[in-house]
Amino acid sequence: MSVNLNGESLKGSASKSEAAAKHLDESRAKFERAANGAQKAWRESITQASAEATSAISTARDQAVQSIERAAADAGAVATAKIDAANERAEKIIATTAKLEARQLWSVAASMCLVVVTAWFGPVVTA
């Protein structure tokens, strides 16, 4: 391998080196722009995905709250209906008890009348 040290070949080598360095700088700049663009696109996609996930979670939460509210309302209606039915049964029992008490009072009154009549007329014995 021979080394030629004349001025023209050195100038040619230097200009080739400068061109290669310039090309390398341009390539590096293109790469950095592409990398920055990709990074920006990635951040935007992550931000969008995060917003979509937040929206989906919010929607699911709202639907769950509505379902719970409906279930609570239904349970409240059922409980109210059962309490109303129990109150009606209790009122019937109270009314029936009052009738029985009135009958017992009449029975006691009739028994007392029999005692008074028996005491007044004496025992009636039939043979």
Side-chain angles (χ1 to χ4, degrees), residues 24-41:
L24 181 62
D25 287 342
E26 289 172 357
S27 295
R28 186 177 293 134
K30 286 180 184 179
F31 175 77
E32 287 176 2
R33 283 193 300 273
N36 288 338
Q39 190 176 28
K40 182 179 177 184

Side-chain angles (χ1 to χ4, degrees), residues 89-126:
R89 287 191 302 270
E91 288 173 3
K92 288 178 183 178
I93 290 170
I94 290 169
T96 303
T97 303
K99 286 180 186 178
L100 286 174
E101 287 176 356
R103 287 181 187 160
Q104 286 175 343
L105 287 173
W106 280 110
S107 294
V108 168
S111 295
M112 289 177 73
C113 286
L114 284 175
V115 169
V116 169
V117 167
T118 302
W120 187 274
F121 291 109
V124 178
V125 180
T126 59

Side-chain angles (χ1 to χ4, degrees), residues 46-101:
I46 291 296
T47 302
Q48 182 180 359
S50 177
E52 290 172 359
T54 301
S55 175
I57 289 169
S58 180
T59 300
R61 181 202 62 223
D62 292 344
Q63 290 173 347
V65 167
Q66 289 173 353
S67 295
I68 291 168
E69 288 173 347
R70 280 193 300 269
D74 292 346
V78 168
T80 301
K82 287 183 177 184
I83 289 170
D84 289 344
N87 284 340
E88 287 177 18
R89 287 191 302 270
E91 288 173 3
K92 288 178 183 178
I93 290 170
I94 290 169
T96 303
T97 303
K99 286 180 186 178
L100 286 174
E101 287 176 356

